[in-house]
Amino acid sequence: MEDMKLSEKKPVEPRSKEDMEKLLSRLKRIEGQVRGIQKMVEDERYCVDILVQISAINAALKKVGMNILKRHTQHCVSDSIINGDSNESIDELMGVIELFSKI
Amino acid sequence: MEDMKLSEKKPVEPRSKEDMEKLLSRLKRIEGQVRGIQKMVEDERYCVDILVQISAINAALKKVGMNILKRHTQHCVSDSIINGDSNESIDELMGVIELFSKI
Amino acid sequence: MEDMKLSEKKPVEPRSKEDMEKLLSRLKRIEGQVRGIQKMVEDERYCVDILVQISAINAALKKVGMNILKRHTQHCVSDSIINGDSNESIDELMGVIELFSKI
Amino acid sequence: MEDMKLSEKKPVEPRSKEDMEKLLSRLKRIEGQVRGIQKMVEDERYCVDILVQISAINAALKKVGMNILKRHTQHCVSDSIINGDSNESIDELMGVIELFSKI
């Protein structure tokens, strides 16, 4: 994370405690799945099984991403549109959509 | 992993110690990045920063996948072709390629 | 097109003549590229060349899609947000983003 | 097509007449769908409908691509493996898989 330049911006609407816990538990599960891949590599499991598991993790990560993207659109992007300064936030949104459509 | 039905097949050619270590260290790094996302969510970092980091992890996982896929093609698939029973392995290969082209 | 149920909705903001012509000429070019693939298949060109050309068409179509998606966000989605009834349009937007992230 | 440097290589195994016709008719259909998009743009159809149609074309193109990729693996790549000079063809195969996983 240290090599990534983080923005000073904050989400317009903080997550509820419940929403935060749900998101963190999904990420915890994904972390466990990545450890599971390491075990499969150490155990010399069949390559196709490992590849299927990697694609399952990528699909789970993408789902987390879509959840965050929707919330971002509902709050941060909507807020900028209502305040009449949406150019930057829509460009930002499109940049993220492009990123997600390439992975 | 427990809910996934693992095949009894083994890679035709075991990885060298060096190759194994390289692959495990990349997966370790990805595991750390997933933990980093959890921290960003806890710290209520800006949504777009989190999304950029998720797409970086997806890209890193895909790269690991391509490395494994290439090795699988060079050894397991090639072996089945040389032994004259490649139908199943090519179908399997195409199945994985399709999976990776959708995530 | 006949098997697809088209919505009665119209874009909130019609395209300028110039914008329309630019979009149509890009689509005309893509149409020509698809004909080009047919020629390559008839001429029994090397498979990898055909595959590279197919991925170029996919990328060009995706670019057209991103252009339309951005405009849709700037006008139709923004309009619904300003009018205070954005739930449906954001759900619709997320549905399209999901579609584009899978192809 | 003119700006693309085509390889002198030929598919190891020419398509049967029937296989060729099937592939060409799928491409003809895709060509018609691209024209359909042009009509939707001219008729100012709703943006989301156009985007859904673009993603349907991309999915159809990808299916054509997977069909060609499978056949290429069964014939050209397999042939190079049997002849013992598979490095180049496997590198080529991985390059195409990478291309398709990014669109």
Side-chain angles (χ1 to χ4, degrees):
Chain A
M1 224 57 51
E2 59 300 329
D3 46 14
M4 187 187 150
K5 179 108 195 35
L6 295 181
S7 139
E8 289 314 313
K9 293 187 211 167
K10 283 274 179 193
V12 152
E13 175 86 17
R15 278 189 179 76
S16 67
K17 195 165 169 287
E18 195 206 338
D19 195 18
M20 176 82 90
E21 272 157 18
K22 253 196 237 161
L23 185 54
L24 289 173
S25 87
R26 284 169 78 177
L27 287 165
K28 268 274 162 232
R29 188 163 185 277
I30 290 170
E31 184 194 334
Q33 284 178 298
V34 175
R35 268 196 301 277
I37 302 268
Q38 291 162 28
K39 181 91 171 52
M40 290 176 86
V41 169
E42 281 158 357
D43 296 350
E44 293 191 330
R45 299 299 330 195
Y46 186 49
C47 332
V48 171
D49 286 343
I50 298 176
L51 289 166
V52 168
Q53 197 55 20
I54 286 178
S55 71
I57 293 175
N58 260 8
L61 269 170
K62 229 173 194 179
K63 248 178 148 184
V64 166
M66 288 296 168
N67 171 288
I68 294 172
L69 189 61
K70 181 172 184 179
R71 200 171 180 286
H72 174 64
T73 309
Q74 289 167 327
H75 297 291
C76 308
V77 178
S78 294
D79 211 68
S80 73
I81 288 167
I82 290 165
N83 296 338
D85 63 351
S86 60
N87 285 351
E88 194 203 330
S89 76
I90 290 181
D91 281 345
E92 217 178 36
L93 180 67
M94 294 309 297
V96 169
I97 294 170
E98 192 122 12
L99 257 183
F100 267 71
S101 84
K102 286 222 171 103
I103 30 159
Chain B
M1 224 54 51
E2 59 301 329
D3 46 12
M4 186 189 151
K5 185 130 180 26
L6 295 181
S7 142
E8 290 314 314
K9 291 187 216 168
K10 285 276 179 190
V12 154
E13 176 85 17
R15 276 187 180 78
S16 66
K17 195 164 169 288
E18 196 208 335
D19 196 17
M20 175 81 90
E21 274 157 18
K22 255 196 230 159
L23 186 53
L24 289 173
S25 87
R26 285 169 79 178
L27 288 164
K28 269 273 163 230
R29 188 165 186 274
I30 290 169
E31 185 193 333
Q33 285 178 296
V34 176
R35 268 196 301 276
I37 302 265
Q38 292 162 26
K39 181 92 173 49
M40 290 176 87
V41 168
E42 283 159 355
D43 295 350
E44 294 190 332
R45 300 299 330 195
Y46 186 50
C47 332
V48 171
D49 285 345
I50 299 176
L51 290 166
V52 168
Q53 196 55 22
I54 287 178
S55 71
I57 294 175
N58 261 19
L61 269 171
K62 227 170 196 182
K63 245 178 148 186
V64 166
M66 287 296 167
N67 170 290
I68 295 172
L69 189 61
K70 182 172 183 179
R71 202 171 178 285
H72 174 65
T73 308
Q74 287 166 329
H75 297 292
C76 308
V77 179
S78 294
D79 211 66
S80 73
I81 288 169
I82 289 163
N83 296 336
D85 63 348
S86 60
N87 285 349
E88 194 203 329
S89 77
I90 290 181
D91 281 345
E92 216 178 35
L93 180 66
M94 294 309 296
V96 169
I97 294 169
E98 193 123 9
L99 258 182
F100 267 68
S101 81
K102 284 216 173 107
I103 32 157
Chain C
M1 223 54 53
E2 61 298 330
D3 46 12
M4 185 188 154
K5 180 115 190 36
L6 295 182
S7 141
E8 289 315 312
K9 292 188 214 167
K10 284 276 179 192
V12 153
E13 176 86 19
R15 280 190 178 74
S16 67
K17 194 163 168 290
E18 193 206 337
D19 196 18
M20 175 81 89
E21 274 158 17
K22 253 197 234 159
L23 186 54
L24 289 173
S25 86
R26 283 169 80 177
L27 288 165
K28 269 274 159 231
R29 189 166 184 276
I30 290 170
E31 185 192 333
Q33 284 178 296
V34 176
R35 267 196 302 275
I37 302 266
Q38 291 162 27
K39 180 91 172 49
M40 290 176 88
V41 169
E42 282 159 355
D43 295 352
E44 294 190 331
R45 300 298 331 195
Y46 186 50
C47 332
V48 171
D49 286 344
I50 298 175
L51 290 165
V52 168
Q53 198 54 24
I54 285 177
S55 72
I57 294 174
N58 261 18
L61 270 169
K62 227 170 195 180
K63 246 178 148 187
V64 166
M66 288 294 167
N67 170 288
I68 294 171
L69 190 60
K70 182 172 183 181
R71 202 171 178 285
H72 174 64
T73 308
Q74 288 166 328
H75 297 291
C76 309
V77 178
S78 295
D79 211 66
S80 74
I81 288 168
I82 290 165
N83 296 338
D85 63 350
S86 61
N87 285 351
E88 193 204 329
S89 76
I90 290 182
D91 281 347
E92 215 179 36
L93 179 68
M94 293 310 295
V96 169
I97 294 169
E98 192 123 11
L99 256 182
F100 266 69
S101 81
K102 284 217 175 107
I103 33 158
Chain D
M1 225 57 51
E2 58 302 328
D3 46 11
M4 187 185 149
K5 184 116 188 34
L6 295 181
S7 141
E8 290 313 315
K9 292 187 213 168
K10 284 274 178 194
V12 153
E13 175 87 16
R15 279 190 176 76
S16 67
K17 195 165 169 289
E18 195 207 335
D19 195 19
M20 175 80 90
E21 274 156 17
K22 253 194 234 163
L23 186 54
L24 289 173
S25 86
R26 284 169 79 176
L27 288 165
K28 270 270 161 233
R29 188 165 185 275
I30 289 170
E31 184 194 336
Q33 285 178 296
V34 176
R35 267 196 301 276
I37 303 268
Q38 292 162 27
K39 181 92 174 48
M40 290 176 87
V41 169
E42 281 159 356
D43 297 348
E44 292 189 331
R45 301 297 330 195
Y46 186 49
C47 332
V48 171
D49 285 343
I50 298 177
L51 289 166
V52 168
Q53 197 57 19
I54 286 178
S55 71
I57 293 175
N58 259 6
L61 268 171
K62 228 173 196 181
K63 246 178 147 185
V64 167
M66 287 296 167
N67 171 288
I68 294 172
L69 190 62
K70 183 172 182 181
R71 199 170 180 286
H72 174 65
T73 309
Q74 288 167 328
H75 297 291
C76 308
V77 179
S78 296
D79 212 67
S80 72
I81 289 167
I82 290 164
N83 296 337
D85 63 349
S86 61
N87 285 349
E88 194 205 330
S89 76
I90 290 181
D91 281 346
E92 217 179 33
L93 179 66
M94 293 310 297
V96 169
I97 294 168
E98 193 122 10
L99 257 182
F100 267 70
S101 84
K102 285 224 171 98
I103 32 159

